[in-house]
Amino acid sequence: MASSSEIREKLRKKRRGLQDSLVKNKNDDDAQALVPSAKFKVDKQPTAMKNAEGNDEDPGETLRRTLRAQRQRRKKTLLEQSLVQECHDAEGVSIAQGCSANEGSSHRADDSVISTRPPTGSQRDLSVRSEHSSSSKHLDAFVTKHLQEKLKAARSKGESLQQQEASAASTKPVSRLKRLKNRDTVTRFDSEVDPVSAGRHEDPLSLRSRVKFREAARKVGKDVPTAEETYNFFTYNHEPDQPSQLDRISRKRQRRREKVEEDRDEDGQAEAEVEEDAEAEEDNQNQNECQSEEAPLVRNEDDLFVIDHSPKDFVEVKKAEYVAYRKRIQRDRELLFTPSFQTVPTSIKLPENMKPRFLEDEGFYVGDRPPISLTNENILENRILKMAEGNKWFGDDGKIIALPDPIKESSTRPPLFHVEGELDPALQTVHRKPFKSKYANMYIAGAADPEGDYQLDVDVSGMIFSHHPLFSREHVLASRLAQLYDQYLSRQHNNLTGHLTDKLNGLRNALRNMVKIHGEQGSSEALQQRISEYSLEVRSTRQLRDTEQEKDRTLLKSIIKVWKEVKSLREFQKFTNTPFKLYLRRENIDRVLDEREYEGEILAEVLEMEAESEEEYQKKLAEYKKQLEDWKLWKKKQKAKRKKKKKKKKGQAQDDTEEEEDQDGSESDEPFEEGPVKPKPPDRPDVDSMEQWVREKASRIRRKPGEPILVPELSASGSITSSELCPRAEIARREDVSRRSLFIKIFYNYKEVSRTDSRSLSTDFRAHFGQIFNLKILNCPQSINLQVFEEIGSSCSLLAQVFVPVPDPSIVTGSAPMEEFEFSSNQRVMFDHEGVGSDVPLSFEPDGSNKLTLLTSGKLSCCVSWGIGEEGVPLAPPVSQQPGATHSGRGHLDAVSYIGASGLYDMKKIGEWATQSRLDPNDPKNTSIMQLLKVASSGEVTAPDYFRLEHLQEEFNFVTDEEIERSKRFRLLSLRNQEAPEFRYYKFVPLLEREISDKVFQDYEKRLKDGEIIDTREHLDPHRALVAKYLQKIRESVINRFILAKHYYQLSDLVIEEEIPSIGSEQLQTRPAPVIQNRSASWNVSLPIRMRILGINLFKLAESKRPLKPQRKERKKVTAQNLSDGDIKLLINVIRAHNIPIRKPQSNKPGQSSQSAIQGSDWYLSQVQVRPFVEVSFQRTVLQTTTAEGPNPSWNEELQLPFSAPNGDYSTASLQSVKEEVFINIFDEVLYETGPSDKERTTSIHTQIEKHWLGSVKIPFSTIYSQSKIDGAFKVNTPAVLLGYSREHGSNSVYDHWRSTHGGMFIRLFITIEPQLVPGESVREKIKEVQFESQEAERLLQASERFVKDAAESYPDRPCITTVTDLSGKTVFITRYIRPLNPPQEFLDAFPNNPQEATTLVARFVSLIPSLPDQVSFSGTCDLWSTCDQFLTLLAGDEEEHAVLLCNYFLFLGKKAWLIIGTAIPEGPTAYVLTHEQSGYFIWNPCSGQFYDKDDTFCPLQTVGCLVNSDNVWYNIQENPSPLSTNFDITKANMWKPFFSRSFSHPGLSSVQPEELIYRHTDRAAAAELQDRVEKILKEKIMEWRPRHPTRWNRYCNSTLKQFLPKLELGRGQDVAEGHRLELQNLLGDYRIAGFPLHLPFSEIRPIIEAVHSTGVHHIHSSNVEFALAVYVHPYPNNVLSVWVYLASLVRT
Amino acid sequence: METTVFLLTVNGQIEGANFPDYDNLYCKYCYVYGHDWAPTTGLEEGITQIASKSIQSHRLIWNFPLETTFKSTNPSGWPQLVVSVYGPDVFGNDVVRGYGATHIPFTPGHLFPFLRHTRTIPMFVPEPTWRLQRFTDWLLGWRPEYTDPKVVAQGEGREVTRVRSQGFVTVCFHIMTKDMKKMGYDTGPSTPSTVQSASSGWSTEVESYAK
């Protein structure tokens, strides 16, 4: 306490000091200045309030007081807070520079607060305050100051708030109101939080607040706070903030203070009481806010006093105290209470002198008490009674008050109390498999609502029995009568007789008229025909009418007869059971007229019959005559025969036989030769008997003339004898009848859906139901079945069932008529009373004869129709849903069969049919159709000349067809879907129409339009353009074919499956992959072998991981689908080259020669022979190797070229169609020293690098792709002449022997693609599946398939072809292609004496035809073989075509030639030609025209697969397939396996080739023109390629070269260079010349340009370079052109 | 010219799988979509970690997130998610355990369970062509596989294969689309009116629920 007061003292001092140093401390001066006035102000305010309070202090106004007290309290607390804050503030501002705001300080603050408590108390209460007035003096000032600060802070806050909300002022009163209203909820503590934390914790904040404070102080100084402001200040609700720990402490402090106050206000004033209540409330509140309020309070209090104590002071150490057991129990008993189990007497539970009152007994509702065990209840009661106010827990009835049991019991499953096995077997659960309803899948399609919008109305109106077991005899008769009468009525209604009579009359009239009109003029054939038809018609009609009339008559008779029987029966039994009465009404008629009619009728009939019989007679007569004629003829023949025989037999001379013959005639003579019997003439018809017959008939079937017409009328008006008057048996029957009742069950789809009420059987055996059942249906109606049940007492039996047809959808309720369905039952029922029973013989005759057996039967009147919905919509399914719905034109079934169902819509056909079948216009059945015809023929209704299948289609066309055609987007989409080449890979078809530019279609439309126009610019040659077009067409058709094939999938296309390797054990280890291809072949392998293989494979599992002799493994192949640009690289390993030409010393040049003279003989040694390097270019990427030296350089370098597929599409098809080629060019790097310029003579030497093209190799990408790797030595395509180079090597060349045999330059390369792509498997496989049509015999095809399969199985790497696809896509056997064909005659004429020359010429001709791989042309590996004439027309083809042509030429030339199917580099599987000469076997490359000796190691052919000639195919089964080691003697069966052998001989296949080839002479003028154009284009191109340098053409040189080129052509590219070079040197002495002629077959201009470009001649950038270019086109027959391009660069030295 | 596109964002995850007989599986996924589609962001293909079953649960859990945005001009060729599951067999060979595919849902939906798209994809593998093969395949760890898992997203050519079902993979998607409605494709359920999509254009109900 002392310390705290000291602090306070210090504080005050400090403050005063501060006040003194007002001038110095700028921060505080305003505030200090304010102090006195503010002090006064604030002081005054509470005082005034207190005064008011004091005045108001009027006991009784508790409410007001409470309110006020609360307000007061708030004020007070605020003040207190500010006070506390002031302390801390002071601390913070003045003292606590070094003292941080921590716990310690807060403790101290606490102390100080406690010290100030008395003053605060005084402030609250006036009386108290007066006591402490002395101390409150300074306190006042203190408080005032703080209040001012507070006000300022609040104001500044308010200002800032004002800034945020513009309408702060207006809202203020509202907020105040609110505050008044929820006073209790306002937390007092929150208000001070902000300043407290600001002041204590956050220095920057405090600074700011200080600034604010200053400003506010200034303001306050100016204007004194009004009452309003002060009020606001006190009630201002500050922004809530996180209550800090310190807050809590301050709160605690407050509470403590309040407690102190309470203590102080002991005098028990009302106010204090109120205060206390409020306090309690507050406490609650506090507890809510800070749960651990109470505990810390106590502890803190302890802390307050304990602060000086050490823990030692509290801990007492002493021995454990033993408490005796009894004592402890005693003590426990004092403390513990164990409620007893005893029932508590009611008297204790109830207030004294009260009797338990049971509400329930008094009639009140008391709910069920929750079930509690009695013990528990007792315990509870005992426990409750122990409590202070325990009694209140007991109700009036002395029981614990309890709410009714809230849990409602409801069992979800009745408990089964049974032991296992004791269950009644009838209750055992039977498990059945669920089964699907039979009609589950027969829902009516199109029912949008599963509830079903279809409704069937079954109207069961009633039933009548035509026979019932309970019928009496009279009933039987009566029912018969009724039936007959019904029949009569219906007949009367139909009036068939009348109709037929009318028709007959009409026909007769017509006939009569016809005869009358045309009778005189000789009747024509047609008329005759017509008349006879009519009479036939008349006859049949008459017959019909007669039968009808007869029926009418008999019906009438039988009605009368039955009625008579009924009458007699009634008389006999003396009672009446049925109400029926028959009246016969007579209709008198004019007797005379009637008779006349009758007679006329008979007459007409007789006449007709006469005519008919006459006709019949005539017919028969004619027949007779004919037969007679025949007979006579036959007779004559017989006679003639007999005569012959007689002559024969005369020789034998046997008289008796002769006589016999004469007498007996032919029959006896030759019994087997039975002739026709002699016909008898027909009888004439008897007219009299005819009339007789007619009259008889008429009297039988017709009313006699003059007889009145009898019209029966049946009425049910008679009375029934009442039961009393009846005999006993009858009474029993009637009782039986009344006992019975009927009801009907309705079955829908064999399921009972409903049943009628049961109706008792009435005496007339009718039952009326009159019930309509509405069936909502889901399933298609299959059957509707009504079952009639009869009920006798409780038992009921099925009488009969009636099947009702499912109504037509057009039949809806309301319009449907009642229909009667007959039913019957064959149940046998017998009675001992009058009832006749059922299935019991019954006789009406007195003698018991003529028994009849009656079965229960009757009619059910009901009606089934489709319901009508609310809007009158029929609730019927659409017509198509109706199974077995009959055609609406039931009456015209004949018509349907006549014109077909669709024809019903065709008016013309109907009309035709109507006329042909002569529809009776009077027939009421035909009225509708006649009317229709009339309308149609009148032209009012034009019958449509089309039949629309989809009536509603139009409604679904949301736009018109034109509109959709016009839509660009739709067009784009459909074109893409059609895989039009321009759009096949089109991505992102724009979403909006306007975003599709018309340009998109330009190419496509152009292509479509240009289909006919030939682009000569591209092709230079109209013929070739045509060919290109033709090729394009073929390509399209083939592509279309393959698009089909592409969509045909095999398992291997989709699933990778490691096959079980088949036998071919030698391959097993080395090449498992290829074996996979012959899965089907392996099917034939028997199982044991398979097991062995399996064993091998298992063995393989155990083989060592790193074998000593590792085997080459297949690289993993990558499917091309998920690749992207940059993934694929082309690896080209340039290993070495041989025989590179070396530079030649330019000895002819004077300057040079002197130089070389200086160098002397060691020129060869010192001078670089050649410095070759290889440049590889592919897809605009150019890479080169380092420069090596010498003619046989070794680079051994790997070049990696990136590959990107067209359109970024890496699908197999796309990759196959890549046309680009890999150019491998060999250059010589030449360094020239350009002499130092004259102007500055320095020591520096400039060298210039030039590269001179030496040769090139072209490899198409498609080859690499299909081969996956290419390895070998390639012959480099070298120009015939290389200026400045010589192939003559120095004598010291190591490779002398090579040079001697081969003039060529070779380069060894290894090319592959990384990663390895799966080459597109040939479409051939698929073609087989698709089964392209073939004209070959099935047997041949099968044999060839087998042959190929076997071949592939044994030697998978050797190609074997037996069948090929021709241009039309048909499969053709390969030998059909081979046939001797004539080469152009001029070749033969050129060298008549030298067949060798002719051979080479022919080979050259063939090689000049441009080569075009099929893969490229038909984007898919599909080999199409064209015949030689097609080939020569197309002027483009694969190796096969070349080979076939060459082979055929050779055969013509009389050579032994075969086609070799094998593999070569770089082509891969290809075709070569083999010839057999005296000197041995030669292999010809048809594309280059070169030939190789069989033993030539540089032969590009690597494997020999099979040999083909026109007779047979031989498959190579030798160990080593390379031509070097192959024996070409095909007769050796152990080396060559023939296709046609003894077992399968050659069927004599005709050739597909033409007999003779016809050649056209090529127009020389055209060739010359082409030559000029090529030259012009090339010159332009070269200039184009040198954009920065001038390109000068040396004309002189040009012409020289041009003259030279034809010589080259003549020499066929043979080395004629030396002379030429010398010539050139002479001509152009001053120039250093580098140049070469290029030779190409001509197809189009692009390859020529490419070839020129790849030589890189244009790269020479020397300033004084000149160029020379010459083009020569040599025409061969059939437009085969040989193009020579001579390129040279000249540098003036 | 910039083409108008609509966007489809697929968020979600491959939650797990239910392969009663197999364990230690991992899953690969990729999308298959038509010509007019292109992914703009996110991974187009992915491979999950290897997941093992716990003793109690028979589910494999990957919880592998998917997050890809596609742009497109044509709803035809709507992306499909193709999943394929692999795992070791008895001998430790990595073999395929199932292929499956599902279309990406086109109704926008998100994390709330009633609008989340969860797909349980039944998985299957191609069958060996004959029985002995099955045995050897089992023995040697050669199982028939599709040449390309994307085959399962197409219908063409499947008639030549025979498959066996193998389990299930559960994938959940949260779909967002942009400009679909603007382009005239209304895929979603009636979007709550509270959603304002004027500012972003993303038809997401996310915002309305996030509030």
Side-chain angles (χ1 to χ4, degrees), chain A residues 555-594:
Chain A
L555 187 62
L556 195 62
K557 272 182 186 167
S558 55
I559 287 176
I560 293 165
K561 190 188 161 222
V562 171
W563 172 236
K564 274 176 187 162
E565 277 179 47
V566 170
K567 274 202 285 191
S568 66
L569 185 68
R570 280 182 184 164
E571 268 171 37
F572 169 74
Q573 65 186 16
K574 296 190 185 74
F575 62 87
T576 319
N577 255 345
T578 51
F580 289 115
K581 269 186 176 173
L582 188 80
Y583 301 100
L584 286 170
R585 197 152 47 80
R586 279 163 201 271
E587 275 179 28
N588 288 322
I589 31 166
D590 185 3
R591 197 186 171 93
V592 184
L593 194 75
D594 201 35

Side-chain angles (χ1 to χ4, degrees), chain A residues 719-782:
Chain A
S719 61
I720 298 166
T721 317
S722 61
S723 300
E724 298 94 67
L725 304 172
C726 292
R728 181 173 292 180
E730 172 61 17
I731 292 170
R733 189 193 68 83
R734 288 193 186 185
E735 274 174 1
D736 205 357
V737 170
S738 63
R739 266 209 305 278
R740 309 214 169 195
S741 56
L742 295 164
F743 67 88
I744 290 169
K745 282 183 181 172
I746 293 140
F747 284 75
Y748 178 78
N749 285 357
Y750 310 109
K751 282 180 196 126
E752 183 182 338
V753 287
S754 189
R755 65 164 77 180
T756 64
D757 302 334
S758 67
R759 296 286 151 92
S760 58
L761 191 64
S762 68
T763 49
D764 53 354
F765 294 94
R766 283 164 191 267
H768 179 75
F769 299 103
Q771 280 181 302
I772 299 176
F773 300 95
N774 302 330
L775 312 182
K776 264 215 153 151
I777 59 167
L778 273 179
N779 288 333
C780 260
Q782 297 290 314

Side-chain angles (χ1 to χ4, degrees), chain A residues 1379-1577:
Chain A
R1379 174 189 197 152
L1381 284 172
N1382 57 315
Q1385 193 57 39
E1386 55 188 273
F1387 294 166
L1388 303 176
D1389 295 343
F1391 303 98
N1393 304 321
N1394 190 350
Q1396 192 59 41
E1397 279 299 307
T1399 310
T1400 47
L1401 199 59
V1402 161
R1404 180 169 171 71
F1405 173 70
V1406 172
S1407 71
L1408 280 175
I1409 301 172
S1411 177
L1412 185 69
D1414 284 344
Q1415 279 110 314
V1416 178
S1417 43
F1418 309 113
S1419 65
T1421 32
C1422 131
D1423 233 353
L1424 293 186
W1425 285 41
S1426 47
T1427 56
C1428 290
D1429 53 334
Q1430 284 167 338
F1431 178 49
L1432 284 172
T1433 321
L1434 290 175
L1435 287 181
D1438 212 346
E1439 299 100 7
E1440 295 93 21
E1441 279 90 14
H1442 286 91
V1444 167
L1445 186 65
L1446 188 63
C1447 183
N1448 290 347
Y1449 283 161
F1450 284 164
L1451 288 171
F1452 185 84
L1453 293 174
K1455 290 177 189 297
K1456 279 185 188 172
W1458 295 267
L1459 208 63
I1460 306 176
I1461 308 293
T1463 52
I1465 48 168
E1467 304 100 312
T1470 185
Y1472 274 57
V1473 175
L1474 177 78
T1475 55
H1476 180 52
E1477 319 251 339
Q1478 261 120 30
S1479 48
Y1481 287 97
F1482 289 94
I1483 293 162
W1484 293 76
N1485 184 350
C1487 292
S1488 66
Q1490 297 203 334
F1491 64 93
Y1492 305 87
D1493 192 75
K1494 171 184 168 291
D1495 302 321
D1496 192 338
T1497 44
F1498 283 99
C1499 176
L1501 191 69
Q1502 298 293 300
T1503 35
V1504 179
C1506 54
L1507 294 182
V1508 180
N1509 74 357
S1510 58
D1511 300 324
N1512 211 340
V1513 177
W1514 293 269
Y1515 185 64
N1516 186 4
I1517 47 171
Q1518 295 168 57
E1519 188 78 3
N1520 195 337
S1522 89
L1524 268 174
S1525 49
T1526 303
N1527 188 333
F1528 284 107
D1529 188 358
I1530 50 171
T1531 52
K1532 287 184 179 165
N1534 60 342
M1535 294 179 177
W1536 295 96
K1537 181 184 167 193
F1539 180 79
F1540 294 115
S1541 56
R1542 262 175 230 154
S1543 57
F1544 186 66
S1545 59
H1546 192 272
L1549 297 169
S1550 63
S1551 178
V1552 291
Q1553 303 283 13
E1555 290 200 6
E1556 195 184 357
L1557 290 174
I1558 296 149
Y1559 299 93
R1560 290 178 288 112
H1561 279 284
T1562 310
D1563 189 1
R1564 280 189 185 275
E1569 195 194 331
L1570 182 70
Q1571 181 178 316
D1572 291 347
R1573 282 170 69 183
V1574 170
E1575 186 172 337
K1576 201 177 149 220
I1577 289 169

Side-chain angles (χ1 to χ4, degrees), chain A residues 254-293:
Chain A
Q254 275 169 351
R255 198 153 316 119
R256 243 172 279 135
R257 230 175 291 143
E258 278 153 18
K259 278 193 177 160
V260 173
E261 275 164 22
E262 272 167 44
D263 292 345
R264 201 161 293 171
D265 300 345
E266 269 166 341
D267 43 9
Q269 278 179 8
E271 206 182 322
E273 248 179 51
V274 173
E275 196 76 23
E276 195 181 270
D277 270 6
E279 196 66 45
E281 245 176 69
E282 251 179 331
D283 272 353
N284 279 344
Q285 217 171 318
N286 281 341
Q287 265 163 1
N288 286 343
E289 279 171 15
C290 186
Q291 280 149 352
S292 58
E293 203 81 287

Side-chain angles (χ1 to χ4, degrees), chain A residues 969 973 976 986-989 991-992 995 1047 1049-1051 1053-1060 1090 1094 1098, chain B residues 3-4 35-38 73-74 128-130 133 136 139 142 144-147 151 156-157 160 183 185:
Chain A
R969 184 166 193 257
L973 287 170
R976 183 173 69 180
Y986 196 92
K987 292 197 170 175
F988 281 98
V989 173
L991 192 55
L992 300 175
E995 286 175 354
H1047 290 285
Y1049 284 86
Q1050 282 176 299
L1051 183 68
D1053 294 336
L1054 291 177
V1055 178
I1056 309 169
E1057 192 177 15
E1058 302 279 346
E1059 302 284 335
I1060 297 178
R1090 281 198 172 277
L1094 189 69
L1098 286 176
Chain B
T3 53
T4 314
H35 284 294
D36 298 327
W37 289 77
T73 61
N74 193 350
T129 38
W130 57 303
Q133 187 122 24
T136 54
L139 206 60
W142 299 335
E145 288 184 25
Y146 281 121
T147 49
V151 161
E156 202 180 29
V160 297
M183 299 297 121
Y185 301 112

Side-chain angles (χ1 to χ4, degrees), chain A residues 13-174:
Chain A
K13 271 181 192 164
K14 220 26 184 211
R15 189 166 291 275
R16 273 189 208 118
L18 277 165
Q19 275 174 353
D20 291 346
S21 62
L22 209 144
V23 191
K24 267 181 260 171
N25 197 338
K26 224 183 166 188
N27 275 2
D28 289 341
D29 62 345
D30 285 347
Q32 302 301 337
L34 269 172
V35 169
S37 61
K39 181 170 112 190
F40 170 71
K41 259 262 144 334
V42 181
D43 202 11
K44 207 173 172 184
Q45 186 80 6
T47 326
M49 296 268 269
K50 295 288 136 60
N51 280 340
E53 194 186 275
N55 294 339
D56 286 345
E57 203 167 301
D58 207 346
E61 289 183 52
T62 21
L63 181 70
R64 257 176 75 191
R65 219 188 302 149
T66 329
L67 275 171
R68 210 178 300 132
Q70 279 175 356
R71 203 190 306 156
Q72 185 77 15
R73 200 172 62 232
R74 177 165 296 109
K75 261 183 245 163
K76 172 201 78 187
T77 45
L78 268 170
L79 283 170
E80 281 161 4
Q81 283 156 18
S82 47
L83 194 71
V84 171
Q85 212 172 324
E86 175 57 22
C87 304
H88 293 293
D89 238 8
E91 241 175 47
V93 173
S94 50
I95 316 164
Q97 269 102 350
C99 179
S100 62
N102 54 16
E103 278 293 311
S105 77
S106 73
H107 282 310
R108 255 180 289 164
D110 283 343
D111 294 353
S112 70
V113 168
I114 290 156
S115 72
T116 54
R117 235 177 247 148
T120 33
S122 70
Q123 208 180 10
R124 233 192 86 245
D125 203 313
L126 271 173
S127 58
V128 179
R129 197 181 146 211
S130 61
E131 284 172 35
H132 299 270
S133 59
S134 60
S135 62
S136 72
K137 185 84 196 278
H138 66 265
L139 192 76
D140 272 26
F142 194 56
V143 168
T144 318
K145 186 175 177 292
H146 183 72
L147 278 173
Q148 275 171 350
E149 276 174 36
K150 253 307 213 240
L151 183 63
K152 265 176 250 160
R155 262 198 192 161
S156 65
K157 203 153 217 166
E159 271 166 18
S160 65
L161 270 171
Q162 234 165 3
Q163 280 169 353
Q164 286 165 8
E165 314 165 33
S167 58
S170 62
T171 50
K172 251 174 197 170
V174 181

